[in-house]
DNA sequence: GCGAATGGCGAGACCGGGCTCTCGAGCCCG
DNA sequence: CGGGCTCGAGAGCCCGGTCTCGCCATTCGC
């Protein structure tokens, strides 16, 4: 295939071709101002002949609007974030906005760099699932705002940052799941996995403090777990929670440990997909069975969970809706909508659903 | 939070603040040309004070380079494409390029529109997993090329379009999987699922022809299935292949049908994740068991497949590598590398791996 | 000691559009 | 028949950078 590359035609060339002034061609092609039917059709014909396409960059330069949204997530390869991005993408595309997606690999430095890339590229708004932990680590988000770029948080709120945040109630979802486990009769419920903090605090208070200084979702899910324990009057046992680096390997080791305890765990609450698969491997390796020997509930439902043996009871997150809602809120902000009222109204909380299948049963004895 | 929004400072303002000419400030901030240490530090200080950030759009305007890559896939929410995009994103980010991702929902019209968006936004290159079926339906791809924008295909090649394509050998991977099933003793192997063509051709030749006029990956996988049958001297039976709309619901119905045949299917080859879960549901619904009653091999390995009961034998695709490689090839093209030689060298074929686990066993009797 | 080479800096053109403003032509009306 | 309007179209500035070119000052060479 021999392709001929010629410099793309500009509006001046179209004007020359049509024998009209540049402004007239611009008005016709830009769809603004008045142009007589006669000249309009001549311009259109010339543009067609030349294969003219407007340079969106040049247009953005003079209008100051790029019709582009920036999206920052930890990992676009993660099915959860991919779903959220899909939601954002579909909703914004429907409104004529395109999206630039940046992955931060869960690093705050990369997130800051990503924010700068988006600011420099003059995006009209930003949706971010931030790894920021509080006001002190979220200066980059405030910076975007101060430059006039609306920002909406998705999936992860940032405590102390009064920005619109589209999230689920992680704490409540976790509490509901753990409560279901307790309701089935379990008193030794393991938590897999928590915030990536170093060491494992023995005291509950230390744990909560450490969690508060960590990823928002992790902390919330841990608190939901604790809430359920409190509701049922069950004691907190540091041996039943896994914190630290979140890898499937560690999950396997930790769950095997919990399963090997004298007063072993009889139910597991897993906060992420990989925590679920890790737990499953550990359960299998130790010869136990779900749900006869150990019950399990995990976060992030997927079509796989339904075909497992047994089908897994999971917490379903509205991934797409999280994205579309975030995009809608952001687009409204771009349109100049006043920001949500203070006092917690910044939170747009979407419902989760506990999809009950067959991985929960009463403890064996 | 009361944010003060002020117009972002421009290079002229920085120059004024520093008391130097605009060009000097531009040279300093743009990192080109010579500036004396004295003035340089004054400019830097002024920029710092004003919080200056270069407008990437304006820069792209004059340089003609946007440092942005466009990516077009069917569905960014699909874990497979999400993985590919992650690969592209990481590889290009490392080279200073950002990515704009567009989902086409498997529609050629949306793909064409997406291509135009990217052309208009002046991206430096495009990676596309195209739904185009041949030269006639890929004019939009040729158009991008003719405008000087390099395009690299990923995952899906387009027959007759001599562009660099980073793919896996779908036909060979399918042949290998089906051959493994046949080697285990199966003679009635079902194919789930094929190209979304209407009706089910009874004659093998018609099927192949229809497939050739359809999605490249689907056709290749179907041919690999047929190859394996031929290799083993097994007859083709239209009753054992599922074509048409690819939904999990239909897969369930079709597999139940294949399982209900007098001479029923004893092994299943599934070409996608949802085809696997659909097949599994059908198998379970009919009371059969894997692998005792029916063996199964599917495409797209995931961490779930390994924790299934039994663990599933799957074909692993190098999602990330597909993406990184595509980005590398594209970036090389952007750097002005000559295009690959004709005669098939346009194909960059990455290896797949048949991950053998426990879902394949000899037929029951 | 004076012309020339060199070095440092800034004026201004340019990228490709948006948009304002002015100017000219045509029309209506008194 | 001329004044006032309206309507249509094009000249020209702007967006915020890049980059060429030329000016001025210093220094070098003979």
């Amino acid at each position: 295939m021999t392709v001929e590359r010629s410099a793309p035609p500009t509006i001046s060339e179209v004007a020359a071709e049509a024998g009209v002034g540049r402004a007239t061609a611009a008005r016709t092609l830009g769809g603004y101002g008045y142009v007589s039917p006669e000249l309009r059709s001549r311009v259109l014909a010339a543009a067609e002949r030349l294969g003219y396409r407007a340079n969106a960059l040049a247009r953005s330069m003079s209008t100051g609007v790029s019709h582009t949204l920036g999206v920052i997530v930890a990992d676009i390869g993660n099915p959860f974030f991919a779903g959220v991005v899909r939601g954002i993408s579909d909703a914004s595309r429907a409104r004529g906005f395109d999206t630039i997606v940046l992955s931060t690999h869960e690093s705050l430095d990369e997130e800051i760099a990503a924010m700068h890339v988006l600011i420099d590229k003059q995006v009209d708004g930003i949706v971010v699932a931030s790894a920021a932990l509080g006001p002190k680590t979220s200066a980059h988000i405030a910076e975007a705002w101060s430059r006039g770029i609306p920002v909406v948080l998705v999936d992860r709120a940032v405590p102390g940052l009064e920005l619109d945040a589209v999230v689920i109630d992680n704490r409540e979802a976790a509490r509901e799941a753990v409560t279901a486990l307790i309701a089935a009769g379990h008193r030794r419920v393991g938590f897999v996995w928590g915030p990536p903090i170093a060491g494992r605090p023995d005291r509950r208070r230390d744990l909560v403090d450490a969690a508060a200084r960590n990823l928002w979702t992790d902390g919330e899910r841990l608190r939901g777990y604790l809430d359920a324990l409190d509701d049922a009057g069950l004691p907190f046992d540091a041996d039943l929670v896994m914190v630290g680096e979140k890898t499937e390997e560690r999950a396997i080791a930790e769950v095997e440990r919990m399963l090997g305890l004298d007063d072993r765990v009889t139910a597991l609450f897993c906060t992420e997909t990989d925590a679920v698969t890790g737990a499953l491997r550990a359960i299998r390796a130790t010869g136990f069975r779900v749900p006869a020997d150990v019950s399990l509930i995990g976060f992030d439902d997927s079509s796989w969970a339904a075909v497992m043996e047994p089908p897994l009871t999971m917490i379903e997150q509205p991934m797409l809706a999280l994205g579309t809602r975030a995009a809608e809120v952001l687009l409204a902000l771009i349109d100049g909508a006043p920001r949500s009222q203070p006092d917690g109204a910044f939170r747009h909380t979407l419902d989760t659903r506990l999809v009950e299948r067959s991985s929960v049963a009463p403890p064996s004895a």
Side-chain angles (χ1 to χ4, degrees), chain A:
Chain A
M1 183 174 75
T2 310
V3 236
E4 30 192 311
R5 304 194 187 187
S6 43
T10 69
I11 214 159
S12 300
E13 301 177 50
V14 173
E17 171 82 11
V20 302
R22 204 168 53 88
T24 303
R27 270 193 294 264
T28 304
L29 272 1
Y32 61 93
Y34 181 94
V35 182
S36 65
E38 153 71 7
L39 292 195
R40 151 174 298 273
S41 62
R42 259 165 59 197
V43 171
L44 255 19
E48 174 73 33
R49 231 174 298 139
L50 265 33
Y52 172 81
R53 292 208 62 85
N55 181 328
L57 255 37
R59 177 170 292 167
S60 294
M61 278 254 17
S62 55
T63 59
V65 169
S66 63
H67 283 285
T68 304
L69 259 32
V71 179
I72 301 178
V73 293
D75 173 13
I76 180 61
N78 176 322
F80 172 74
F81 288 120
V84 172
V85 169
R86 159 82 192 261
I88 295 172
S89 170
D90 285 358
S92 55
R93 190 84 270 284
R95 285 274 312 268
F97 283 75
D98 308 301
T99 56
I100 294 182
V101 182
L102 265 13
S103 283
T104 65
H105 309 107
E106 211 66 86
S107 142
L108 192 55
D109 286 341
E110 286 194 52
E111 179 175 320
I112 294 171
M115 193 64 76
H116 284 158
V117 165
L118 296 178
I119 290 173
D120 294 353
K121 281 218 187 331
Q122 313 288 115
V123 297
D124 296 332
I126 298 174
V127 176
V128 53
S130 182
L133 312 174
K136 284 146 293 180
T137 51
S138 60
H140 56 297
I141 297 179
E143 185 184 350
W145 258 110
S146 72
R147 285 172 190 275
I149 304 176
V151 178
V152 167
L153 301 174
V154 73
D155 180 48
R156 305 172 177 180
V158 175
L161 231 205
E162 293 185 343
L163 282 186
D164 283 279
V166 178
V167 298
I168 60 158
D169 190 336
N170 287 282
R171 185 171 180 173
E172 180 54 29
R175 196 181 68 77
E176 181 182 358
V178 177
T179 294
L181 256 9
I182 294 173
H186 298 276
R187 300 185 56 81
R188 301 288 286 170
V189 181
F191 178 86
V192 188
W193 49 38
I197 55 183
R200 171 150 35 97
D202 279 338
R203 296 191 315 162
R204 172 181 169 145
R205 187 177 174 71
D206 295 341
L207 216 210
V208 172
D209 284 350
R213 281 179 268 103
N214 237 286
L215 199 59
W216 184 72
T217 43
D218 284 348
E220 289 290 293
R221 292 174 191 184
L222 176 59
R223 293 176 69 176
Y225 164 78
L226 262 16
D227 286 345
L229 254 33
D230 292 347
D231 289 349
L234 255 28
F236 163 74
D237 183 346
D239 280 344
L240 306 192
V241 334
M242 164 183 171
V243 294
E245 198 196 357
K246 305 194 286 183
T247 65
E248 197 173 7
E249 291 65 38
R250 281 202 66 236
I252 296 174
E254 287 284 280
V255 171
E256 287 185 356
R257 180 183 58 71
M258 294 182 199
L259 252 16
L261 256 27
D262 281 344
D263 191 7
R264 79 166 175 87
V265 100
T266 62
L268 256 13
F269 168 57
C270 305
T271 64
E272 272 174 44
T273 294
D274 288 350
V276 173
T277 57
L280 252 14
R281 290 180 117 109
I283 292 170
R284 197 152 302 165
T286 29
F288 286 115
R289 301 195 53 94
V290 177
D293 306 310
V294 23
S295 291
L296 181 152
I297 294 184
F299 245 94
D300 293 352
D301 194 30
S302 84
S303 61
W304 283 106
V307 294
M308 288 292 296
E309 189 55 55
L312 271 21
T313 291
M314 303 283 279
I315 296 169
E316 180 187 270
Q317 289 200 67
M319 309 183 303
L320 257 66
L322 239 15
T324 54
R325 185 65 180 280
E328 284 163 10
V329 172
L330 182 57
L331 257 8
L333 247 21
I334 291 173
D335 285 344
R339 299 175 55 201
S340 307
Q341 293 79 30
D343 304 333
F346 290 110
R347 290 272 212 286
H348 305 259
T349 306
L350 267 39
D351 290 335
T352 54
R353 194 165 64 94
L354 183 64
V355 182
E356 304 201 43
R357 285 194 276 254
S358 316
S359 60
V360 178
S364 34

